[in-house]
Amino acid sequence: LQESPANLIQIRLKIEQAEKLRSELRYLRVEALENGKAVLTAEQKDHLKNLLASRRDNFRRSQGQPS
């Protein structure tokens, strides 16, 4: 953006590249959670469920959303 005029094609490509990487990271997180859940005991699954719910509630509160 410091060039004048800005190279819009190059900017678009960089934005798309960054979004693709974010998307891949989100997918890998879900995949890791699913693979990990497959080896947990019932008690461990309950504990994980509670941890994830707690994180979700904390995030919502930090965003000003009701639980």
Side-chain angles (χ1 to χ4, degrees):
L1 289 176
Q2 295 175 351
E3 295 176 21
S4 186
N7 184 340
L8 296 177
I9 294 171
Q10 189 176 23
I11 292 169
R12 177 182 290 269
L13 289 173
K14 288 294 182 183
I15 291 170
E16 289 173 354
Q17 187 179 42
E19 290 303 319
K20 185 176 180 181
L21 290 171
R22 278 191 199 93
S23 175
E24 181 67 15
L25 283 173
R26 289 179 70 186
Y27 172 78
L28 290 171
R29 179 181 179 274
V30 169
E31 184 180 55
L33 278 170
E34 291 301 312
N35 290 338
K37 285 194 288 188
V39 298
L40 296 178
T41 65
E43 183 180 341
Q44 290 170 324
K45 286 179 183 179
D46 286 341
H47 187 66
L48 177 61
K49 184 179 177 182
N50 292 335
L51 285 172
L52 292 175
S54 175
R55 284 188 63 186
R56 185 174 46 248
D57 290 343
N58 288 340
F59 176 77
R60 285 180 178 165
R61 274 195 293 276
S62 73
Q63 300 298 311
Q65 300 175 3
S67 295

